[in-house]
Amino acid sequence: MNTAERISRWTYYLFILPIVLAVCGWQGWSWWNWAISPVNGDSPSETATTDIVQMTIPQGTSTRQIGADLEAFGLIRSPLAWKIWASWLAVKQDGGGFQAGIYKLSPQDSLVATAAKIWQGKAVRLSFTIPEGQSRWQMASYFASLGYFSEQDFINAVSQIPREKYPWLPEKLPHLEGFLFPDTYELASDRVTPEQIIDLMLARFQEVALPLYEKGKSNTNLSLKEWATLASIVEKEAAVSEERSRIAGVFAGRLGDGMRLEADPTVEYALGIRQTPDKPLTLEQVRVDSPYNTYLNPGLPPTPIASPGLESLQAALSPEQTDFRFFVARYDGTHLFTKTLEEHEVAKEAIRQQRNALNQEEE
């Protein structure tokens, strides 16, 4: 090859090379923009999902596996782009890494935004609410419905009494019924266990309820377990906040007079049912042989029958001083209080007639 041909070829290469590099650069840049863009973009197709995806990243998950999982969930376009961006983040942030947790992610977020959320550990805070008056069985069903764990796992855990951590818990408790404080809780974790939730609820009881008892126990002859037990019955009986103290006063008076409490919720607890105005307890049910049946057994039941809230705990600690020894529920949830058995029977019949009249009007 002569000199002229060599010069001509090099001229050709020098002309073509910038074009090739430009094309490759443009294609690479186009691919990168495509790879990091939201899966759904600004105008999602009819088949694309816009749903928020809840994704769990366990502790120790590799960057490569996170990318593969994100692609499988339809949250990113390219695991390779994910790995490239993760390497850039490690350099830019001078170390660090993706954090374990439960994340709510959207296919309408870019790869960069998704990576930032996981890199910064912006995991969701799981939230659950336990209303006043729930039993451990109701809690178990609730947690199972949230997908946290099975009902039986929770029931088994509630039967373990952590007195080494909470020495104030009464001795010989068969379960933690009554000491799992009803409230709204939040936690951020990639792993939710019954023990973790129980610890939160016991800690809240220790923080909120225990000081109340310590401050007022000099004014009552009730032990901690008896206090929680009486409060749990008040919680199940009272539908109106203003009546809690009076209902507690009725029960305190009956206990002081040596009368049986004859509280319907204790029978319901023994049978695992809930009566309604249309289906009240039957005579056979009221005679059920159970230590929780306060129609048959004097005094308080062996343990609380639900998780009492703060108002019921306060009412049980400072019940109203009253001569009322009976009450019957009206149709609206309030109660008619009476002093004698004779007055109580008259009140029950009056309420029964009111209910019958109301049912006839509805028909």
Side-chain angles (χ1 to χ4, degrees), residues 21-31:
L21 291 175
V23 170
C24 290
W26 178 81
Q27 288 181 334
W29 182 251
S30 297
W31 173 84

Side-chain angles (χ1 to χ4, degrees), residues 37-54:
S37 65
V39 173
N40 286 2
D42 296 328
S43 301
S45 66
E46 292 182 2
T47 58
T49 176
T50 59
D51 292 338
I52 297 297
V53 175
Q54 182 167 294

Side-chain angles (χ1 to χ4, degrees), residues 237 262-269 275 281 286 294-295:
E237 289 279 18
E262 297 184 356
D264 287 1
T266 64
V267 178
E268 296 171 31
Y269 183 83
Q275 68 172 327
L281 292 174
V286 171
T294 55
Y295 277 90

Side-chain angles (χ1 to χ4, degrees), residues 109-303:
D109 289 337
S110 68
L111 179 148
V112 174
T114 298
K117 180 177 288 189
I118 302 174
W119 191 277
Q120 295 167 13
K122 293 183 178 179
V124 300
R125 297 189 68 84
L126 297 182
S127 176
F128 64 91
T129 300
I130 300 300
E132 292 87 349
Q134 279 208 342
S135 70
R136 67 190 192 280
W137 294 101
Q138 290 173 309
M139 294 181 200
S141 177
Y142 170 66
F143 290 130
S145 72
L146 295 177
Y148 288 0
F149 34 73
S150 71
E151 293 184 34
Q152 194 58 51
D153 284 345
F154 183 76
I155 294 300
N156 292 341
V158 170
S159 299
Q160 306 301 313
I161 314 301
R163 295 195 75 252
E164 66 284 350
K165 186 172 183 179
Y166 301 103
W168 49 265
L169 284 168
E171 295 185 1
K172 298 181 180 180
L173 280 178
H175 47 69
L176 295 169
E177 189 95 78
F179 300 99
L180 304 174
F181 196 76
D183 208 339
T184 295
Y185 297 86
E186 287 188 342
L187 53 95
S189 175
D190 61 318
R191 180 171 175 267
V192 183
T193 66
E195 291 77 12
Q196 183 181 19
I197 284 178
I198 288 169
D199 185 64
L200 283 175
M201 300 178 77
L202 288 176
R204 190 66 56 85
F205 187 98
Q206 178 175 271
E207 175 189 2
V208 176
L210 195 59
L212 179 67
Y213 178 73
E214 293 297 331
K215 184 178 180 180
K217 67 180 181 181
S218 59
N219 299 322
T220 181
N221 59 356
L222 297 175
S223 67
L224 178 64
K225 185 177 76 169
E226 291 171 335
W227 172 55
T229 301
L230 177 58
S232 72
I233 299 175
V234 173
E235 187 68 63
K236 299 299 289 185
E237 289 279 18
V240 178
S241 180
E242 293 76 13
E243 292 186 349
R244 295 180 193 276
S245 181
R246 177 163 291 183
I247 290 174
V250 171
F251 287 137
R254 293 179 74 90
L255 289 171
D257 293 348
M259 301 171 64
R260 293 186 179 89
L261 292 183
E262 297 184 356
D264 287 1
T266 64
V267 178
E268 296 171 31
Y269 183 83
L271 294 170
I273 64 171
R274 180 65 173 171
Q275 68 172 327
T276 64
D278 296 330
K279 291 185 178 180
L281 292 174
T282 65
L283 184 59
E284 181 181 1
Q285 289 172 326
V286 171
R287 291 174 176 172
V288 62
D289 184 12
S290 168
Y292 286 90
N293 186 351
T294 55
Y295 277 90
L296 299 181
N297 302 292
L300 291 162
T303 66

